[in-house]
Amino acid sequence: MIEIKVCGLKREEDIKYVNELKPDYVGFVFAKSSREITLEQGINLVKKLDKNIKAVGVFVDKKLSEVEKIASTLKLDVLQFHGKEDNEYMSCFKSFEVWKALGVTSKEDLKEINKYKVDGILLDSKVLGRIGGTGESFNWDIISNFKINKKLILAGGLNSDNVKEGISKVNPNIVDVSSGIEVDGFKDFDKIKEFIEKVRETV
């Protein structure tokens, strides 16, 4: 079954939504973004999160000590890195599942994938100066049925209208949605519900 990650939670209402709708993962952003939260906010949100939902921390070129503090305090399940983090950096987090995000515009970008010794590769649209949550998808034909020996996470512009096509073309293990389930910059219960239903209808 395709798993689902709802990313960019920042309000207690968001936690209530996901606790009812039961995605597999939720993401908390600790990087410059409209969805950025502080460690203190993260503590408040994670303690209210259903324990069956895995918590993912999203980071961009943060100091090792800062990531370690956030990850251990919140008891995160997954660390997702969007910056210039290399294998040496990411190997410091052996007690966590680690995903590396890569922006995709052409097949050339896929050459980077196999150099990373991580548990999952997240493929996202590449937008200059932005790290995810852009609402823009990329050309999925580039990675149509692309095979890697890691979890493949599809992100970038997904919503309830296009997620089935994305799953059909890419065959990911996980789909990751953020702006596609928002109204005026805030998570929307009905949009999350529709997205999850569409994914779970796929075989």
Side-chain angles (χ1 to χ4, degrees), residues 34-48:
S34 60
R35 302 172 186 87
E36 182 179 14
I37 63 170
T38 63
L39 174 57
E40 289 69 28
Q41 287 173 301
I43 291 169
N44 181 51
L45 295 173
V46 168
K47 74 180 181 184
K48 293 178 170 69

Side-chain angles (χ1 to χ4, degrees), residues 108-120:
E108 284 295 303
D109 296 316
L110 302 181
K111 291 179 180 177
E112 295 284 295
I113 287 176
N114 290 320
K115 78 178 188 182
Y116 290 112
K117 296 172 183 174
V118 291
D119 303 291

